[in-house]
Amino acid sequence: MSFKLDTPIDMHLHLREGKLLKDVLQWSAEQFAAGVIMPNLVPPVDNMDRLRKYRKEILENLKEKQFTPLMTLFLRHYSYRELEEAKGEIFSIKLYPKGITTNSEKGVSSIEEFYPVFEIMEELEIPLSVHGETNGFVLDREREFAPIYIQLAERFPKLKIIMEHISTKELAELVRDYPNLYATVTLHHLLFTLDDLAGGRLNPHFFCKPILKTPVDRAVLQRLVREGHPRVMFGSDSAPHILRDKLKGAAGVFSAPVALPLLAHFFDGDWKGLQRFISDNARRNFNLQIPEKEVEILEIPWEVPHIVGEVIPLLAGERLRFRVRGIG
Ligand code: NCD
Ligand code: ZN
């Protein structure tokens, strides 16, 4: 059995720089036609010079593979002129609350201070991608952020706001309430819970922000994705860290190698549903013009690599039911 996906897009992807980029890039470039590339490098991607150099580094490492990096800028106090210049070269601007996740030290402490930037973005039709967590108790951080999403959605009705990597029942419900709220869902929040991280032996390869949640949260997310909500899209949040950093507690799941095989398992025959989640919703919502690319999934068992460069992938060494043609 096999089926083809048309132009799969990863709406939330960390590719890093230098050697790490070289090691991990092919896994996304093989499986996806495009990816929204996160700007939380050190220093952050917060000017067009840095963004263009970073984009060039990605393109140079593609080695003929067809993959479109959709670039993002790290939120700061941009002027109208800066955003006018950036508009044609970026997909969105990313808001990180200060200190909430990997490389977010330059993030935002007061959302209101950025209202003037959101006004410009609304006018120029630049979407806002948001890591929606407070600095409260780790399991409550995302639901505590819901009022901020509501405040933004109501105050800037024409601004497209993407709630990144939603992991709770509350946000899965909130996306239905405002036409300018969108959501990305990761593989790991869709398939796993806190038990996979800490229920038995501690497994740091499941540790990420936002942290994995309860079976109830997962069930609500699964329902939202299965029903094919038009504003819900796949964003892996694949976030590689070398093993040494991972063992020091770095947050991030490297899921790029297993993205399509596990999604095929989840949708199990509902290939139209998978197509919507992996591409159609994103292309329609954001009018993405990406060169078409066909990716074939085969129902042939595949063993996940034990290590990619110096990074351990999600489900390393396990046998999966599906594989992507051309990989392994
Ligand atoms: C991401 C990373 O490592 O860059 N980590 C994570 O746990 N998801 C950052 C992020 O998206 O929060
Ligand atoms: Zn991320």
Side-chain angles (χ1 to χ4, degrees):
M1 204 280 298
S2 79
F3 66 96
K4 289 183 178 138
L5 288 172
D6 173 17
T7 318
I9 304 170
D10 184 342
M11 292 296 283
H12 182 134
L13 177 61
H14 299 269
L15 286 179
R16 317 302 193 200
E17 298 174 272
K19 178 177 183 301
L20 195 44
L21 168 76
K22 284 188 181 30
D23 287 341
V24 302
L25 176 62
Q26 59 139 336
W27 292 96
S28 296
E30 288 276 6
Q31 298 183 55
F32 292 90
V36 173
I37 313 303
M38 290 297 132
N40 61 331
L41 306 180
V42 185
V45 181
D46 68 356
N47 62 76
M48 290 311 287
D49 185 43
R50 174 105 164 99
L51 182 138
R52 287 176 186 132
K53 285 192 183 128
Y54 185 32
R55 183 165 181 277
K56 186 159 170 271
E57 187 187 358
I58 296 169
L59 294 177
E60 281 171 358
N61 281 289
L62 279 175
K63 302 194 192 100
E64 313 284 295
K65 289 205 186 79
Q66 185 197 326
F67 179 80
T68 306
L70 300 166
M71 304 306 289
T72 60
L73 280 173
F74 197 102
L75 180 64
R76 64 167 171 78
H77 289 284
Y78 294 106
S79 68
Y80 193 93
R81 273 183 68 154
E82 282 179 302
L83 292 189
E84 235 182 350
E85 184 200 339
K87 181 179 159 56
E89 294 176 62
I90 61 172
F91 167 72
S92 72
I93 296 179
K94 178 81 188 265
L95 183 165
Y96 289 96
K98 190 177 171 60
I100 206 68
T101 189
T102 309
N103 303 336
S104 60
E105 291 68 27
K106 294 222 158 108
V108 167
S109 347
S110 152
I111 305 268
E112 283 81 3
E113 265 178 36
F114 286 85
Y115 279 8
V117 185
F118 301 152
E119 264 161 38
I120 304 172
M121 290 167 64
E122 190 174 38
E123 184 187 328
L124 294 175
E125 298 181 0
I126 299 172
L128 175 69
S129 302
V130 183
H131 183 118
E133 289 196 286
T134 65
N135 54 12
F137 174 64
V138 69
L139 281 171
D140 293 335
R141 286 175 189 178
E142 185 176 285
R143 68 184 111 252
E144 284 175 0
F145 199 88
I148 299 176
Y149 278 128
I150 294 172
Q151 183 186 323
L152 288 173
E154 289 182 349
R155 173 97 187 207
F156 303 99
K158 295 217 172 71
L159 179 66
K160 292 185 174 177
I161 301 162
I162 307 163
M163 305 191 290
E164 297 286 2
H165 41 56
I166 61 168
S167 64
T168 51
K169 175 175 167 289
E170 284 76 6
L171 291 202
E173 284 161 3
L174 186 62
V175 71
R176 301 177 193 279
D177 294 347
Y178 291 88
N180 58 332
L181 283 184
Y182 299 80
T184 58
V185 178
T186 74
L187 193 68
H188 42 286
H189 294 103
L190 188 64
L191 300 183
F192 302 102
T193 70
L194 194 51
D195 262 357
D196 295 288
L197 166 67
R201 288 171 72 94
L202 182 69
N203 186 335
H205 305 298
F206 282 101
F207 177 57
C208 62
K209 302 291 174 64
I211 201 154
L212 291 169
K213 300 291 188 316
T214 68
V216 170
D217 291 302
R218 177 179 61 179
V220 176
L221 275 185
Q222 291 188 346
R223 200 176 332 129
L224 181 73
V225 169
R226 282 225 162 84
E227 81 172 38
H229 189 287
R231 292 193 302 280
V232 174
M233 304 158 291
F234 178 64
S236 70
D237 194 14
S238 178
H241 291 277
I242 60 169
L243 185 55
R244 189 159 24 95
D245 290 343
K246 204 66 190 130
L247 295 179
K248 281 192 232 152
V253 172
F254 179 44
S255 60
V258 297
L260 293 186
L262 286 186
L263 284 175
H265 192 105
F266 176 76
F267 280 91
D268 200 10
D270 175 16
W271 307 136
K272 280 207 176 112
L274 175 52
Q275 178 63 36
R276 265 197 305 266
F277 181 55
I278 202 82
S279 180
D280 299 355
N281 286 352
R283 280 194 279 178
R284 191 193 52 253
N285 289 333
F286 299 101
N287 192 25
L288 299 177
Q289 305 299 327
I290 292 161
E292 281 191 21
K293 172 171 171 180
E294 216 174 57
V295 177
E296 191 173 8
I297 315 284
L298 310 167
E299 191 171 8
I300 298 176
W302 177 64
E303 190 177 309
V304 183
H306 287 271
I307 193 151
V308 169
E310 296 169 75
V311 188
I312 311 275
L314 182 64
L315 302 188
E318 292 198 23
R319 229 168 116 87
L320 306 185
R321 195 174 128 205
F322 292 93
R323 66 164 66 198
V324 177
R325 184 185 286 285
I327 290 184

